Amino acid sequence: MKPYLQDLLTQALTAACAALGKDTPAVTPVIDATKDKSHGDFATNLAMACAKPLGLPPRKLAEMLLAHLPASERVAKVEIAGPGFINFFLTGDAVTAVVPEILNTGESWGQDLSGAKGKVMVEFVSANPTGPMHVGHGRGAAYGDTLANLFAATGYAVHREYYINDAGRQVDVLTMSVWLRYLEEGGVAFSFPKRGYPADYIKFTAAKLRAVHGSAFQHPLEVVFEGLGVEPQVPEGADDKTKDTIKLAQEKYADGLIDRARKLLGAHYGTITQAALADQLATIRSTLESFNVRYDQWFSEQSLVDSGFAKTAIERLKAKGFVYEKDGAQWLKTTDFGDEKDRVLFKADGAATYFANDLAYHVDKLDRGYPLLVDVWGADHHGYIARVRAAIEMLTGRKDALHVALMQFVTLSSGKMGKRSGNFVTLQDLIDEVGPDSTRFFYLSRSHDQHLEFDIDLARSQSNDNPVFYVQYAHARICSVFKQLAEKGGVHDEALGLASLARLDTDEEKTLLTALARYPELLRVAAANRTPHTLAFYLQELAAALHGYYNQHKFLVDDAALQAARLTLIRATQTVLRGALGLLGVKPKDSM
RNA sequence: GCGCCCGUAGCUCAGUCGGAUAGAGCAACGGCCUUCUAAGCCGUGGGUCGCUGGUUCGAUUCCAGCCGGGCGCACCA
């Protein structure tokens, strides 16, 4: 409807300008759905926007525009209001026209599934395979998956990918931790390193290794800890500087243990690593599956190292002259492209940084033919955006190839999570307690750049306050109406309903029709702005319109034409509810 | 110190690339079930949109500077 009105206004503006003998200002009319019914269905500020360039008072110009506005059978009335708004009142037929459209298309109404806008890759979650996902990761999962759905529904060919950080120091810490727990399984006792991963999920892998490999990885404690000294501990009430110093020393201590593990275990080291990664990834995959999240591809960081691409990708940057050496390390000149300082690619010891591999990964994505990359990251990684974007610009010359969506922090009402505390609330716990539907909807009930307070106690109690029930209830009520009809032996005559849409003239029906008509544009905006939460809010609005309608009017009535019209309307509503819930990854309920 | 995000009702949050009297849920209060599911509906109260300037017909929205909160500023990942 908006493009249609836009077209009418453009014609009017051109004609009015011609009559004035002036050039037509280069403005596209902005059409807004009105908040207030007394302002009609749509309004435009065109007269105010063009008042200055044309040198006319807004209301005077608005009158001229109306005089040149082409007649339309969809527009019942046009009037000038306030400082110069032009308000459009649609005819009843124009308002109900949305109903047959919806019913003809089905749940995908409002969606463009052609993929014609090109390829887009959405990389999301990519949680480190060193432990289970926590509630913060859940936000990225709900967001990324729904955003991908929205892209797919608005004309893009979407690829969903998970980047597995299975290379680098953290994997060594993981391996070392499993090994130490394995040693404990052998009946020895020692103080577990502070910078290791102590949790139960580590013990699980350790126990499995002992069951399969027996004591093949066993070594005497004297040998394991020989020459490492005593691990320093952070004293009570230490200041930040002291804490940092001691934490660094603890990292060194952990490095010593990692070296020891490599030396003593030899080829077995890799066996432990593979077992640990496999267990952690299995847990993550299983959690995501129970969260109704599917990926097209799981991409291994290690595979980039093994194939040599991690190095060859950097060679391209070198060839372009963006890499230089300083203090024995290889640096990338990201400051040329807006970063605040240059970044190390290869350390003085020759090892690649995480950044180097991540860069190679993004190069690989571009090589695979994705002109648009969307990364979903935690807000704590925001400082990382500039360097990746700089590198991509070096290679492609484009600033806009990468979009990073930052997930602000999730806090629990019962305090913040600690990733290494060992007994934090995992995403799996949350899903098990609340169910995947409510959890997804709750995550998407906030803008991603807003801190999210996840009231875990409320969620655990399965309270009715959760908005997802409200939306599902609307769907269930519609189902119930049709069930009642069938039980009474009635049949819904859709043809009669479509022929009788003119009978839908109450305020509640108009509100519902307006909400339905808004859906296609809402999808476009939600995808373009990457704001899936607007879809969650829309669903609540649509459900509210349905509930209001339900309470005010009976659908199963004696008047056959009226009943058919009303049932046709709620059938269309049900169709849109199902389509929108599908995009959110939430299942509709037939009964509560 | 520098950078990113945020500041809207008692609480949790929306506010569609600047629009008309700023919205929803929860909480408070008052109504509505012999009638398609009351997990619902209708109504009432509740606001200097952090502060101060600027841009203009018009600013919660854009800009600048303050104040307050969160998160980052590694040859870690």
Side-chain angles (χ1 to χ4, degrees):
Chain A
M1 199 64 217
K2 280 192 191 180
Y4 176 80
L5 292 175
Q6 230 164 25
D7 187 47
L8 290 185
L9 280 166
T10 307
Q11 290 181 43
L13 182 62
T14 310
C17 289
L20 285 165
K22 298 197 178 185
D23 291 338
T24 308
V27 293
T28 45
V30 175
I31 315 278
D32 281 316
T34 55
K35 290 179 210 163
D36 188 335
K37 285 279 181 293
S38 68
H39 296 144
D41 298 294
F42 292 94
T44 181
N45 65 349
L46 185 65
M48 289 179 284
C50 294
K52 200 163 200 180
L54 292 177
L56 281 173
R59 289 192 68 108
K60 177 86 180 160
L61 179 57
E63 283 170 26
M64 290 199 62
L65 286 172
L66 290 200
H68 290 91
L69 197 69
S72 165
E73 55 188 22
R74 296 199 214 173
V75 178
K77 187 171 67 160
V78 188
E79 61 183 32
I80 301 167
F85 289 101
I86 299 174
N87 294 335
F88 291 88
F89 293 77
L90 300 185
T91 60
D93 286 352
V95 174
T96 57
V98 69
V99 174
E101 275 182 37
I102 295 168
L103 294 174
N104 285 336
T105 312
E107 286 177 34
S108 65
W109 177 73
Q111 302 185 24
D112 169 9
L113 300 172
S114 68
K117 283 190 193 161
K119 292 165 75 174
V120 56
M121 177 182 299
V122 182
E123 182 219 320
F124 60 108
V125 182
S126 300
N128 286 338
T130 52
M133 294 169 66
H134 55 68
V135 297
H137 293 126
R139 188 174 201 185
Y143 177 91
D145 190 54
T146 304
L147 180 63
N149 290 342
L150 278 169
F151 277 132
T154 53
Y156 289 93
V158 183
H159 181 87
R160 299 142 198 267
E161 192 153 302
Y162 188 113
Y163 182 51
I164 308 167
N165 295 126
D166 54 358
R169 195 186 116 85
Q170 60 184 347
V171 175
D172 291 319
V173 175
L174 176 69
T175 306
M176 176 267 282
S177 302
V178 170
W179 182 50
L180 292 182
R181 287 305 193 201
Y182 166 93
L183 292 176
E184 285 181 338
E185 290 270 332
V188 294
F190 51 87
S191 149
F192 199 85
K194 284 282 180 289
R195 313 308 293 176
Y197 305 138
D200 286 348
Y201 56 81
I202 299 290
K203 295 182 184 168
F204 172 75
T205 303
K208 260 176 48 181
L209 283 169
R210 189 161 283 279
V212 175
H213 298 275
S215 58
F217 312 144
Q218 194 73 39
H219 292 274
L221 285 190
E222 311 86 79
V223 181
V224 171
F225 290 96
E226 186 193 359
L228 293 179
V230 178
E231 183 180 33
Q233 303 295 323
V234 179
E236 286 284 330
D239 59 49
D240 287 351
K241 192 156 185 157
T242 311
K243 273 187 199 163
D244 287 348
T245 309
I246 293 177
K247 277 182 184 169
L248 225 75
Q250 289 174 341
E251 299 277 356
K252 279 240 179 323
Y253 180 80
D255 285 342
L257 276 167
I258 290 168
D259 281 345
R260 189 60 43 85
R262 282 188 197 284
K263 287 206 178 74
L264 293 176
L265 290 165
H268 290 323
Y269 186 90
T271 307
I272 297 177
T273 302
Q274 291 315 310
L277 286 174
D279 280 349
Q280 297 317 314
L281 269 174
T283 303
I284 290 170
R285 279 176 191 264
S286 145
T287 295
L288 286 166
E289 265 172 42
S290 67
F291 203 37
N292 200 12
V293 173
R294 302 272 189 288
Y295 285 93
D296 295 305
Q297 194 169 343
W298 294 69
F299 194 102
S300 155
E301 178 184 358
Q302 187 63 45
S303 76
L304 282 173
V305 178
D306 294 343
S307 70
F309 189 76
K311 281 209 158 56
T312 55
I314 306 299
E315 291 300 325
R316 290 195 213 165
L317 290 162
K318 253 182 212 172
K320 286 179 179 265
F322 292 118
V323 180
Y324 65 95
E325 193 168 323
K326 191 181 82 178
D327 304 333
Q330 306 266 323
W331 297 70
L332 185 65
K333 209 152 176 26
T334 52
T335 46
D336 283 0
F337 294 86
D339 199 5
E340 56 186 14
K341 56 197 283 192
D342 290 342
R343 307 293 173 177
V344 172
L345 291 169
F346 295 99
K347 301 180 239 178
D349 65 5
T353 59
Y354 173 83
F355 175 52
N357 287 350
D358 198 30
L359 199 47
Y361 174 48
H362 282 85
V363 172
D364 182 81
K365 288 185 189 178
L366 293 167
D367 281 359
R368 280 187 270 161
Y370 292 94
L372 178 57
L373 307 178
V374 176
D375 285 8
V376 179
W377 294 351
D380 52 337
H381 287 73
H382 67 77
Y384 196 75
I385 297 174
R387 72 191 74 169
V388 178
R389 187 167 277 161
I392 287 177
E393 194 180 345
M394 287 175 192
L395 290 166
T396 64
R398 289 170 50 212
K399 283 183 192 298
D400 59 349
L402 174 70
H403 286 291
V404 179
L406 291 177
M407 299 297 105
Q408 291 298 324
F409 271 43
V410 176
T411 48
L412 298 172
S413 60
S414 46
K416 285 189 187 179
M417 316 153 285
K419 174 140 190 184
R420 291 185 181 176
S421 68
N423 57 354
F424 52 80
V425 178
T426 64
L427 177 59
Q428 189 67 60
D429 291 339
L430 190 62
I431 295 169
D432 291 345
E433 285 290 330
V434 191
D437 290 335
S438 301
T439 308
R440 281 186 73 124
F441 202 95
F442 202 107
Y443 275 127
L444 292 167
S445 298
R446 301 279 181 280
S447 166
H448 67 276
D449 56 13
Q450 187 77 230
H451 288 221
L452 170 64
E453 183 177 309
F454 205 116
D455 190 334
I456 190 79
D457 300 320
L458 186 71
R460 275 182 198 282
S461 73
Q462 300 221 19
S463 156
N464 302 333
D465 299 338
N466 197 318
V468 73
F469 287 112
Y470 184 80
V471 176
Q472 287 176 320
Y473 187 34
H475 183 269
R477 274 184 149 171
I478 295 170
C479 291
S480 175
V481 170
F482 282 100
K483 211 173 110 196
Q484 290 288 328
L485 176 68
E487 280 171 8
K488 287 182 182 172
V491 176
H492 170 45
D493 185 344
E494 191 170 296
L496 176 61
L498 287 170
S500 311
L501 292 176
R503 301 289 302 277
L504 304 175
D505 56 0
T506 66
D507 285 349
E508 288 78 12
E509 282 155 347
K510 187 125 194 239
T511 301
L512 190 50
L513 286 162
T514 306
L516 291 172
R518 220 161 69 76
Y519 179 61
E521 196 203 350
L522 180 113
L523 291 183
R524 277 199 304 279
V525 172
N529 295 347
R530 298 180 295 281
T531 50
H533 74 279
T534 55
L535 186 54
F537 279 92
Y538 170 77
L539 271 168
Q540 292 175 73
E541 183 190 318
L542 185 58
L546 188 280
H547 286 309
Y549 186 29
Y550 182 97
N551 275 276
Q552 194 62 32
H553 302 283
K554 289 267 298 174
F555 305 144
L556 302 179
V557 291
D558 292 334
D559 183 335
L562 183 62
Q563 170 175 303
R566 288 181 170 172
L567 290 179
T568 301
L569 174 57
I570 63 169
R571 181 66 91 193
T573 306
Q574 181 188 41
T575 304
V576 173
L577 282 171
R578 294 180 72 87
L581 282 170
L583 292 175
L584 283 182
V586 175
K587 289 177 200 66
K589 284 188 166 187
D590 291 352
S591 65
M592 299 304 286

